[in-house]
Amino acid sequence: MSLAAYCVICCRRIGTSAASPQSLTRWREIRNIIKFTGSLILGGSLFLTYEVLALKKSLTLDTQVVEREKMKSYIYVHGVSLDKRENHGFAYEARKELHKAVRKVLAASAKIFRSPFADPFSTVDVEDHECAVWLLLRKSRSGDRTARLEAVQEMSGAHHWQDYQYRIIAQACDPRTLIGLARSKESDLRFFLPPPPLPSLKEDSSIEEELRQLLASLPQTDLDECIQYFTALALNESSQSLAAQKGGLWCFGGNGLPYAESFGEVPSATVEMFCLEAMVKHSEISTHCDKIEANGGLQLLQRLYRLHKDCPKVQRNILRVVGNMALNEHLHAAIVRSGWVSLMAEALKSHHIMEASHAARTLANLDRETVQEKYQDGVYVLHPQCRTSQPIKADVLFIHGLMGAAFKTWRQQDSERAVSEEALEDEDRYTTCWPKTWLARDCPALRIISVEYDTSLSDWRARCPTERKSIAFRSTELLRKLRAAGVGDRPVIWVSHSMGDSPALKTLQDDFLEFAKDKNFQVLNFVETLPTYIGSMIKLHIVPVESADLGIGDVIPVDVNHLNICKPKRKDAFLYQRTLQFIRETLAKDLEN
């Protein structure tokens, strides 16, 4: 193949030049070559004739040329075996030559993207399924939003393609399509290219040191007092840690972290965790997100994310930072370029509720094609986490109590035991979050949101000496986040885990009762009848029956303790079934419509 191409080029050059003795000598050499290959020269032009079937039998390919062509075009071409027994039909066998297949695919792509979409494609000489890939790509860039959504849906439903076809989409689609595929439940992960290579660490540097430098580069003035306090604390502790690693003095006392007890190895993950906690709070400020991106924060966080794959707490804070950055639309292009969409697409398919929910929040904030709401830190959609054609008729909000959390509060009972991967995959046997699994299946027309907020007993702010936030302040902050998520635009049911008639909540409870009676709210109360063990020696009846009676709605005693009053033992347990009944009855008209 290379010899024939060389002959064509040489003959054309000689045919247009003067007949010198040197050229005549070259002409004789070329004539001998042409005779050897069975070719014919007429009037200074070269016509190569050959038998197609003979060429098929004797054709050999230069694999280096193929690899160079793949690198040039970034097109993955499906190879065809030369063994006739592996081929099916004459039409398919006629396309064995790899160079011809490449040329046809490139011609098809050029025609599709340069010509109007309505043009017929009957003249494009490629396989039907190959043409469909390029048609879908063109459709995904349509000016019609409905057409774009259909294209993404068709792509995500493709499970019979060859590997190279997924790679064509991965390399040629725009960010809007990529994000749509990441939020599509059935999308094949081959649609997503691996993240680009990370930049090398600076000489004599470490991840911990670069994380500290990134945190130090963020503005330190005009901040919430607690953010200032913990930023300074994180920088101080990381400085001591770095000094110890480099053989410097180790400082005991002061604000010291728990690991400041010996001259042994300093657990850098602890310092990294401290820095990440401070960075989460910084990432709630838009201008600080710009600084994080400009200083290479997306790449550094990705390095940490890969390094601590088996550390959920570290990963959780990293995903919180990226999710907060995704609230800023001008940073979407940088987030896509850094490869985070590919990582989020994989995390969304995780069986671990926390990892999947953080990924779902980030992708929803990136998806401006189908999502109008913005989900700020602490607001997590449990259902639907992917794009869906199911209309959403109402919202159900789950609000944890003191020392609770958005996910662990609503786990199935007895979750303290070790849970195997098999149990996690079989959600009918065990679920780490019953609103996401059981309620979402029974009421698919609901948007289910779980909220995480700061509490004085469980949050880092409890360690802040300047923390003086009231319940009213935190309620206002939570309300602002819920309104940004579109809560209030449709009917709402609140599910909460409360400490009952505690002094701190008495005023809030009285205000709620007045409002609920005025608006004729429907209320259902469950109350524990068993004491709760605190340690091995103390047991308390945290919420007595009389304290749980608000004077409005039904009060139902249940033989469980305070911790398990929000954790059904099974899907057919009374706690869950009565809750489901209440939701269905209260929203009956909305769900019917």
Side-chain angles (χ1 to χ4, degrees):
M1 182 166 64
S2 300
L3 180 63
Y6 176 74
C7 289
V8 170
I9 293 172
C10 290
C11 289
R12 286 177 178 171
R13 291 179 59 188
I14 293 173
T16 55
S17 60
S20 62
Q22 292 83 1
S23 64
L24 290 176
T25 301
R26 293 173 61 191
W27 177 263
R28 294 189 186 98
E29 293 173 355
I30 293 169
R31 183 181 59 188
N32 293 334
I33 293 174
I34 293 174
K35 285 181 179 179
F36 177 75
T37 58
S39 300
L40 177 66
I41 300 174
L42 293 175
S45 299
L46 174 65
F47 295 88
L48 298 177
T49 62
Y50 55 88
E51 293 289 340
V52 175
L53 295 178
L55 179 61
K56 290 178 185 174
K57 294 179 180 178
S58 61
L59 182 63
T60 58
L61 298 178
D62 185 343
T63 56
Q64 293 183 351
V65 172
V66 175
E67 290 300 320
R68 285 198 297 270
E69 287 301 317
K70 285 169 65 176
M71 292 299 294
K72 287 179 183 178
S73 62
Y74 288 89
I75 299 298
Y76 287 78
V77 180
H78 176 53
V80 181
S81 172
L82 292 176
D83 188 348
K84 288 186 177 182
R85 293 172 296 179
E86 298 180 12
N87 295 327
H88 306 280
F90 292 104
Y92 195 72
E93 186 180 356
R95 293 184 173 89
K96 285 182 181 178
E97 298 87 344
L98 189 56
H99 69 287
K100 186 181 294 185
V102 172
R103 190 165 60 247
K104 289 174 181 176
V105 171
L106 294 177
S109 64
K111 182 176 180 62
I112 292 170
F113 282 106
R114 294 174 186 173
S115 301
F117 183 67
D119 282 0
F121 291 93
S122 59
T123 58
V124 179
D125 191 16
V126 293
E127 298 290 344
D128 292 341
H129 61 278
E130 291 177 354
C131 191
V133 171
W134 296 103
L135 283 169
L136 284 175
L137 276 170
R138 178 59 185 256
K139 190 175 181 180
S140 70
R141 299 181 181 181
S142 169
D144 180 15
R145 177 178 175 273
T146 302
R148 294 196 300 268
L149 295 179
E150 288 177 354
V152 172
Q153 187 175 4
E154 291 178 43
M155 289 178 187
S156 64
H159 303 294
H160 59 280
W161 286 355
Q162 299 292 333
D163 181 72
Y164 79 94
Q165 292 173 291
Y166 291 102
R167 293 305 179 185
I168 288 175
I169 298 289
Q171 293 164 341
C173 72
D174 58 13
R176 181 171 54 196
T177 303
L178 183 68
I179 293 167
L181 287 170
R183 292 198 69 232
S184 299
K185 186 175 182 179
E186 301 299 329
S187 285
D188 193 298
L189 289 178
R190 286 175 290 178
F191 280 122
F192 308 98
L193 297 175
L198 295 173
S200 301
L201 291 174
K202 298 175 183 177
E203 189 175 355
D204 297 329
S205 183
S206 65
I207 296 180
E208 179 185 341
E209 186 170 1
E210 293 207 0
L211 183 62
R212 178 189 179 280
Q213 292 175 359
L214 177 62
L215 183 59
S217 71
L218 303 179
Q220 307 296 321
T221 58
D222 299 326
L223 298 175
D224 177 279
E225 291 179 343
C226 281
I227 299 179
Q228 290 185 19
Y229 173 80
F230 282 104
T231 300
L233 185 59
L235 293 175
N236 179 55
E237 297 298 343
S238 60
S239 296
Q240 294 181 12
S241 171
L242 291 170
Q245 291 176 19
K246 295 180 180 180
L249 295 176
W250 182 256
C251 178
F252 289 91
N255 292 321
L257 291 176
Y259 57 75
E261 297 176 351
S262 70
F263 290 94
E265 182 181 354
V266 180
S268 60
T270 307
V271 178
E272 290 166 359
M273 186 68 181
F274 221 59
C275 290
L276 286 171
E277 285 182 345
M279 196 169 297
V280 167
K281 297 301 179 182
H282 279 278
S283 66
E284 293 179 356
I285 305 171
S286 178
T287 54
H288 291 211
C289 290
D290 295 342
K291 289 281 187 180
I292 294 173
E293 189 278 323
N295 293 332
L298 287 169
Q299 290 76 19
L300 180 58
L301 291 173
Q302 192 176 125
R303 189 186 299 276
L304 278 168
Y305 184 80
R306 296 179 183 179
L307 180 65
H308 296 289
K309 196 68 177 174
D310 298 324
C311 184
K313 289 184 178 180
V314 171
Q315 287 203 319
R316 171 178 177 266
N317 280 327
I318 292 173
L319 293 175
R320 289 175 69 189
V321 173
V322 179
N324 289 344
M325 295 180 70
L327 291 166
N328 305 280
E329 294 186 31
H330 65 280
L331 294 178
H332 286 187
I335 294 173
V336 173
R337 284 196 305 270
S338 63
W340 272 108
V341 174
S342 299
L343 296 176
M344 295 295 173
E346 182 178 1
L348 186 60
K349 297 181 183 295
S350 172
H351 294 294
H352 298 278
I353 175 65
M354 186 200 71
E355 183 179 8
S357 296
H358 279 284
R361 171 182 170 247
T362 301
L363 290 172
N365 287 335
L366 290 172
D367 187 8
R368 297 298 90 190
E369 181 85 319
T370 62
V371 181
Q372 286 73 48
E373 302 84 5
K374 291 191 175 182
Y375 298 99
Q376 300 189 25
D377 189 35
V379 180
Y380 303 101
V381 176
L382 302 180
H383 173 80
Q385 292 190 335
C386 301
R387 283 188 177 183
T388 177
S389 58
Q390 168 72 56
I392 300 301
K393 303 295 183 64
D395 291 334
V396 177
L397 269 63
F398 286 82
I399 314 292
H400 65 79
L402 299 179
M403 300 184 70
F407 308 116
K408 73 175 185 179
T409 293
W410 312 107
R411 65 185 183 270
Q412 186 174 343
Q413 191 174 329
D414 300 326
S415 66
E416 297 299 333
R417 60 180 171 80
V419 180
S420 65
E421 287 294 326
E422 291 78 9
L424 285 174
E425 293 178 10
D426 186 357
E427 294 171 339
D428 289 328
R429 289 173 49 201
Y430 180 80
T431 175
T432 54
C433 186
W434 60 265
K436 179 181 183 294
T437 53
W438 299 345
L439 184 58
R441 289 182 186 176
D442 291 332
C443 299
L446 298 178
R447 181 177 63 158
I448 303 172
I449 294 177
S450 186
V451 175
E452 193 161 74
Y453 60 95
D454 298 343
T455 71
S456 59
L457 296 181
S458 61
D459 188 70
W460 72 324
R461 287 180 177 273
R463 309 192 302 271
C464 176
T466 62
E467 171 62 8
R468 296 292 185 272
K469 297 298 188 298
S470 64
I471 291 179
F473 175 87
R474 298 189 186 193
S475 299
T476 301
E477 186 178 49
L478 179 58
L479 179 62
R480 175 182 56 81
K481 292 183 176 183
L482 293 177
R483 285 300 301 137
V487 174
D489 295 341
R490 53 176 72 94
V492 182
I493 286 183
W494 300 72
V495 182
S496 62
H497 185 211
S498 172
M499 289 189 68
D501 193 20
S502 63
L505 299 177
K506 186 67 172 67
T507 302
L508 187 62
Q509 177 178 300
D510 292 341
D511 291 341
F512 166 74
L513 285 176
E514 181 180 352
F515 186 72
K517 290 177 180 178
D518 181 61
K519 300 297 182 181
N520 194 28
F521 284 175
Q522 299 182 54
V523 179
L524 175 65
N525 300 294
F526 295 105
V527 58
E528 71 253 30
T529 61
L530 302 180
T532 302
Y533 282 87
I534 301 177
S536 59
M537 302 293 293
I538 303 173
K539 64 178 181 179
L540 296 174
H541 205 133
I542 296 177
V543 181
V545 175
E546 59 273 13
S547 174
D549 190 354
L550 302 177
I552 181 174
D554 297 333
V555 180
I556 303 177
V558 184
D559 292 334
V560 294
N561 62 27
H562 183 70
L563 296 179
N564 289 331
I565 194 68
C566 53
K567 300 175 180 63
K569 201 166 188 177
R570 297 181 305 275
K571 188 175 181 181
D572 60 358
F574 173 78
L575 264 175
Y576 173 70
Q577 290 299 323
R578 185 64 182 90
T579 302
L580 177 62
Q581 179 187 347
F582 176 81
I583 292 173
R584 284 175 168 170
E585 291 176 353
T586 305
L587 299 174
K589 293 182 179 179
D590 301 289
L591 296 178
E592 286 177 2
N593 296 332

